[in-house]
Structures are given as C-alpha cells and as structure tokens.
Amino acid sequence: MAKQIHYEDVEVGSEITPLKKIATTKMLVQWAGASGDFNPLHYEDDFAKNLGVGRPIVHGQLKRAWLVHLMTDWIGYKGTLKKLSCRYKGMDYPRKMQNFDDPVDGETWWCKGKVTKKYMEGDECLVECEIWVENGKGDKTTPGSAVAALPSKSK
Amino acid sequence: MAAFVVTDTLKAMIGRAEDPVVQKVEEGAIQRYARAIDDPNPLYNDVEYAAQSEWGRLMAPPGFAGWAVKSKGFDMFKLFEKLQKAGAPLGLLDGGVEFEFFGSIGAGDILISVTRIANIEGRETKMGPTMVTTVETISMNARGTVVMIMRNTLLQF
C-alpha cells in the first residue's frame, strides 16, 4: 500500500496512481471460480463466436473489480469507497498462457483515473473521480466513476 | 431497426423480489476473490496481518458481496432463463454496474441479500432491438444494516 493520502493532498485534476493489470486465460478461470460467473462467453470459443464477440472476452465484473482495486489502493486504509459505477463499453480479450505462471506477450491494461470534484458533506471530505480501464491501444473500454471519503489532516 | 418492445408478461416481472439469500462470509472466499483480481492487499489475504489490524479479521474488498450473492444461493442465470421464458431475447451481455457502499464486510459476517428486477425497458442498440434490465441487489448484515446496493444493467438482444 502506498502512503496514506489525505483530502488536502488532492485537487480537481489530480491523477489517481495508475494500476497495471494483465488479463490472462488463467485469471479468467480464477475469477469464474471466485465469482461464480460460469457464463461460457468467457471460456468457450464457439459460444463467444456465435454471440458475435469473436472469442472469449474478459468478464465485465472482473474489470469492475480492478477499478475497485485502483480506488482502494489510492485512498488507503483510512479512506472509504462510497460509490463506484462503470460501463462495459468495449470488449477485452485475455492473453493466453505459455506455461503455468506466465502469459504470452501481448496486451497490458491500465486502470487510471483523476479527481473531478472535491467537497465536504457534513463532516465527510469527499472526492468524485472519473475512472477507467484502458487497453493496450489506449481505448477506455470500461469507463466509470467513483466517490470516496478521504481522511483530513485537520482531524 | 426499432427498439425492443417490452411485453406485459415481462413488465409484470418488474419489482418482484427473488428469495433472500443468507450466507456467512468465509475467509477462503475472500482470499480466492483477492487472488483472482490480483490484489495483494494483506487485509484481504493474510489472516494474521488482518487479525493484528484495527479491523481484527480478514476484510473483503468492496464489491465482494455482489459476486458472493451470485455464487452462493442466488443464480443470476436462473433469472435470465425466467426472463427468456417471458419473452426476452437470447443474446446476453453485462452492460455495467453501480455500487453504493454503506459499510464494510469481513470474515464471519452474515449477509442477507435480496435481488429484484428494478426496471425493464426496450432500446435500440448496435446489437439491434435490445431489452435493458436493471437488476438490484440489497445486502444487509445480521444487525439489519444495509451494507451494499448493487444495480446491474443487463443487455439482452
């Protein structure tokens, strides 16, 4: 975990520390097991092809969980995530595995974001953020937003 | 191309709640979830670290309850089948999600979750006539405090 961030440390436009992710077929299997989402769209070639997406795609909810990870790492233990939403706008395709641990070379995803508003509500110090998952081409395949409470140095 | 027409049979499903799901949050389930998303935060992974922390136990990442409801007792795919039997198109994609978090969830907590179809509407999308369904899940803890509301948008085309 990074050093604890405080409300006074951020301004509108401040960047959220980017988080690197690599979706692999192994990760999709792990997510299916952990999440209970066994939709064949995420592991069955013909099923995905028939649905018109070409081949198995990364679960939208997995990308959503990456965005939660982006936010919780950034706000630290003393921050509280209040809201998070995202749209699964573009398809993402996992890298295949070349051995038990390593994927083949290929696409890397980045979870990114920036502060769009900071305000007080009661005694809470809140920040609103634009967040997104960006694919290897720089496309925002999973845009979203989040609201978090940050600790204040003055309390 | 035209928007999907929502039939009366489908409209009648709006607001109807599924059976509540009651579950205990297990340490192993939290650890598997954290591993699957490649989040090494020791608060989600390391039982001893978490026990020494101010929370005193393994905590779940926000959003954990959303999947736990799906995997443990409430089968989202059964709901899709019900919708399809009522006239929804067969193609299905997850359109997005909205979460509101009101409290933290940790190992040992009992969660009671209720899911209902909050809305169904017809739209025209790049997939053709599309039925857009909002599925809402409200999870509360054993003290009756709502800890999370999740709204999923499903696209059927």
Side-chain angles (χ1 to χ4, degrees):
Chain A
M1 298 288 282
K3 195 174 141 230
Q4 179 63 53
I5 197 165
H6 291 83
Y7 186 67
E8 292 79 4
D9 299 328
V10 302
E11 297 300 334
V12 171
S14 293
E15 188 189 46
I16 296 171
T17 311
L19 177 70
K20 179 181 165 182
K21 291 286 181 185
I22 297 175
T24 64
T25 47
K26 181 179 175 181
M27 183 183 252
L28 266 56
V29 171
Q30 280 183 295
W31 174 257
S35 71
D37 186 345
F38 295 106
N39 187 341
L41 173 63
H42 306 292
Y43 55 85
E44 189 71 56
D45 286 345
D46 289 343
F47 190 93
K49 202 181 282 177
N50 290 339
L51 212 55
V53 299
R55 58 194 170 87
I57 58 172
V58 179
H59 301 75
Q61 288 277 3
L62 173 57
K63 295 187 284 182
R64 180 275 300 165
W66 289 354
L67 289 174
V68 170
H69 184 186
L70 169 81
M71 288 301 298
T72 51
D73 265 13
W74 183 65
I75 64 179
Y77 284 163
K78 292 189 187 306
T80 305
L81 187 60
K82 314 280 278 184
K83 292 181 185 177
L84 186 137
S85 65
C86 62
R87 279 189 308 123
Y88 310 128
K89 189 178 160 206
M91 309 288 173
D92 289 294
Y93 298 91
R95 286 200 213 173
K96 293 193 170 177
M97 300 298 291
Q98 59 174 318
N99 56 42
F100 289 139
D101 296 317
D102 306 308
V104 298
D105 291 341
E107 193 157 22
T108 295
W109 288 261
W110 283 92
C111 302
K112 296 181 178 179
K114 62 183 176 190
V115 176
T116 53
K117 188 178 172 185
K118 61 180 284 192
Y119 58 103
M120 298 291 295
E121 200 171 85
D123 58 356
E124 282 194 308
C125 305
L126 300 173
V127 288
E128 246 177 56
C129 306
E130 180 190 356
I131 53 175
W132 64 90
V133 176
E134 195 173 292
N135 68 15
K137 296 188 200 82
D139 301 325
K140 294 177 181 177
T141 62
T142 314
S145 62
V147 176
L150 293 179
S152 169
K153 288 175 181 170
S154 64
K155 286 181 190 166
Chain B
M1 212 183 286
F4 178 80
V5 177
V6 182
T7 63
D8 289 343
T9 315
L10 284 165
K11 279 182 194 160
M13 295 177 75
I14 297 172
R16 207 181 292 167
E18 302 291 314
D19 291 337
V21 174
V22 180
Q23 60 182 144
K24 188 173 181 183
V25 177
E26 297 161 355
E27 284 180 349
I30 295 173
Q31 290 165 323
R32 280 192 294 280
Y33 182 97
R35 227 173 282 146
I37 63 174
D38 195 20
D39 187 340
N41 189 332
L43 199 55
Y44 311 146
N45 291 280
D46 185 334
V47 174
E48 283 178 26
Y49 174 92
Q52 299 302 318
S53 73
E54 63 182 278
W55 290 272
R57 62 200 168 118
L58 215 59
M59 298 304 290
F64 169 87
W67 78 260
V69 173
K70 278 168 76 175
S71 85
K72 289 287 176 177
F74 170 67
D75 189 339
M76 191 71 104
F77 294 103
K78 290 273 189 294
L79 184 62
F80 299 153
E81 278 175 15
K82 272 192 208 173
L83 287 165
Q84 284 167 352
K85 278 181 190 155
L90 296 177
L92 174 71
L93 285 174
D94 203 345
V97 69
E98 282 177 30
F99 278 101
E100 288 181 76
F101 304 112
F102 302 100
S104 52
I105 295 169
D109 282 355
I110 303 290
L111 287 181
I112 303 121
S113 301
V114 177
T115 296
R116 70 184 184 99
I117 293 173
N119 192 36
I120 299 177
E121 59 183 53
R123 279 193 214 154
E124 184 189 326
T125 71
K126 60 184 176 186
M127 277 92 70
T130 302
M131 185 174 116
V132 181
T133 304
T134 307
V135 180
E136 182 182 81
T137 298
I138 299 177
S139 296
M140 63 183 83
N141 59 25
R143 293 179 297 281
T145 307
V146 173
V147 288
M148 183 211 73
I149 298 177
M150 174 177 76
R151 292 181 197 91
N152 257 112
T153 304
L154 306 172
L155 307 174
Q156 288 173 277
F157 50 91

